[in-house]
Amino acid sequence: MKIAVLGVGNILFKDEGFGVFAVKYLQQNYKFDPEIQLIDGGTGGFKLIEYFQDYDYVILLDVISVNDKAGSIYRIEGENLASLSSYHQTAHEVEVLQMIDLAALGGKSAKVVVLGIVPEDITKTEIGLTSSLEKVFESFINLVLKEIDSLGVKYEKINSKSLQDVVIDFIGSYNDVRSF
């Protein structure tokens, strides 16, 4: 089974980059069996549709705009995503729903599970997470690992880099802390 862990979002807008940061964190701290690929989907939009068609199972990491407390974590099966009326308030959330629908029209579509988190701030232009999401980041990562484990994929922890160190290695800045 081909499995993708796809982190999406715009890293320039605070919590909006959560999914990408989660994928980068997993890449830096864990080693997985070869059938799993960790993908930084960023703001790839409709270019990401290939992942929904080429893989058997996609674990999508994203922020979700539902009316709940910042930092609340959700696990949503792809087929139930469209019925969640408040999910699709940002441009990329609309694209995700459309990509899932379009992939199904192409004949082959991955089973999609969204692991999402309610953001506190997706409007401020800054690289880094709010404290609300930092507090639950490890719990979110544990949920991702649990999802991967449920698929029978083996993994091992290879590093203990912090979220801040991972993001600084990736983009050179995290909440105004910069590498020089």
Side-chain angles (χ1 to χ4, degrees):
M1 178 164 50
K2 284 179 65 179
I3 303 164
V5 177
L6 179 61
V8 297
N10 189 331
I11 62 169
L12 301 177
F13 292 101
K14 208 62 177 164
D15 293 337
E16 173 69 21
F18 187 89
V20 173
F21 295 153
V23 163
K24 295 295 183 186
Y25 182 88
L26 290 166
Q27 289 172 333
Q28 293 287 317
N29 287 305
Y30 293 89
K31 179 179 177 186
F32 295 91
D33 283 352
E35 67 261 30
I36 195 163
Q37 186 174 5
L38 303 173
I39 302 163
D40 169 2
T43 56
F46 287 105
K47 292 178 183 173
L48 302 177
I49 197 167
E50 68 185 81
Y51 298 113
F52 295 97
Q53 294 175 325
D54 293 346
Y55 285 81
D56 301 306
Y57 200 97
V58 174
I59 303 169
L60 182 68
L61 311 182
D62 197 3
V63 292
I64 56 172
S65 300
V66 298
N67 189 19
D68 201 348
K69 183 176 78 173
S72 297
I73 298 171
Y74 286 79
R75 181 189 183 279
I76 306 167
E77 305 268 340
E79 58 269 18
N80 298 327
L81 201 55
S83 63
L84 195 60
S85 62
S86 57
Y87 181 81
H88 50 75
Q89 295 181 354
T90 68
H92 94 265
E93 289 169 335
V94 172
E95 289 171 349
V96 167
L97 287 172
Q98 291 173 335
M99 281 188 292
I100 292 170
D101 289 344
L102 288 173
L105 292 175
K108 181 180 183 271
S109 181
K111 174 166 179 53
V112 178
V113 171
V114 177
L115 300 180
I117 190 163
V118 178
E120 179 180 322
D121 184 350
I122 57 172
T123 59
K124 185 176 182 182
T125 306
E126 184 177 76
I127 297 168
L129 300 177
T130 59
S131 62
S132 298
L133 271 60
E134 285 178 330
K135 288 177 189 169
V136 297
F137 188 80
E138 287 293 329
S139 296
F140 185 88
I141 293 298
N142 288 333
L143 181 63
V144 176
L145 293 172
K146 184 178 173 184
E147 187 75 28
I148 291 169
D149 194 46
S150 75
L151 299 171
V153 175
K154 302 285 185 231
Y155 61 88
E156 66 178 294
K157 189 164 187 167
I158 56 171
N159 283 316
S160 295
K161 289 186 172 182
S162 70
L163 170 63
Q164 178 177 311
D165 289 342
V166 167
V167 175
I168 287 175
D169 286 349
F170 168 51
I171 200 77
S173 174
Y174 184 85
N175 286 340
D176 286 333
V177 175
R178 292 183 170 81
S179 65
F180 292 101

